[in-house]
Amino acid sequence: MTITEIQDQIVDEFSMFDDWMERYEYIIELGKKLPLINEEFKTDDNIIKGCQSKVWLKGEQNDDLIVFTADSDAILTKGIIAILIRAFSNQKAADILAADMGFIDEIGLKEHLSPTRANGLVSMIKNIKMYALAFESKN
């Protein structure tokens, strides 16, 4: 699936919920389903700076695709990174770099987060794009 198709799926899923408490619960559920990052990757090098809680993100190149794994010590933040990994893992670097981030606004995520969590979301996206940039420049 393309990034856009996955983002559209995420928007559709979030549209099923009437209020933000239900959406928060769904985000938490997504975080619980996030495959755990290998403990060896829980290092300072993989911590996303700018997040209130600890978030580890690791990107690895598998053929021409980037595969992301992540974890967080906060349940809501873990759900947020799970959404981003779903959209951008197993995609080509060029596609990640060209991706529109409008789906974040469409699901209303940024506007319903505290300012520090919203900053963390921006930092997560920035780190995903930085991995894509690094892998694209290697090819």
Side-chain angles (χ1 to χ4, degrees):
M1 289 181 79
T2 68
I3 292 173
T4 303
E5 290 169 338
I6 296 168
Q7 290 173 342
D8 288 345
Q9 264 187 352
I10 293 168
V11 170
D12 287 346
E13 289 166 15
F14 273 81
S15 70
M16 293 187 297
F17 301 108
D18 294 329
D19 66 39
W20 260 94
M21 286 313 295
E22 291 175 342
R23 290 179 184 199
Y24 284 133
E25 288 173 18
Y26 183 62
I27 293 169
I28 290 167
E29 283 304 310
L30 292 174
K32 289 178 182 175
K33 294 176 186 171
L34 182 68
L36 291 179
I37 191 172
N38 192 320
E39 286 296 318
E40 72 184 79
F41 299 134
K42 285 188 171 182
T43 63
D44 287 345
D45 289 345
N46 292 326
I47 285 183
I48 296 177
K49 311 290 186 265
C51 287
Q52 180 179 344
S53 47
K54 285 188 177 177
V55 180
W56 297 271
L57 177 69
K58 176 72 175 157
E60 296 181 299
Q61 197 161 15
N62 185 356
D63 293 322
D64 62 342
L65 303 178
I66 300 175
V67 179
F68 291 103
T69 55
D71 197 6
S72 176
D73 62 354
I75 192 138
L76 186 64
T77 308
K78 190 171 182 172
I80 294 167
I81 194 69
I83 291 168
L84 295 176
I85 284 180
R86 181 172 159 197
F88 301 110
S89 193
N90 292 300
Q91 300 292 334
K92 293 180 180 177
D95 294 339
I96 295 170
L97 291 170
D100 181 355
M101 295 295 164
F103 84 107
I104 299 288
D105 294 327
E106 282 186 63
I107 63 175
L109 189 56
K110 206 182 290 184
E111 69 187 76
H112 286 91
L113 295 175
S114 66
T116 52
R117 282 223 168 87
N119 287 341
L121 171 63
V122 170
S123 295
M124 290 178 210
I125 292 168
K126 191 167 108 181
N127 276 46
I128 288 170
K129 295 247 181 187
M130 283 177 19
Y131 268 111
L133 193 60
F135 287 128
E136 187 180 54
S137 66
K138 282 190 346 189
N139 295 336

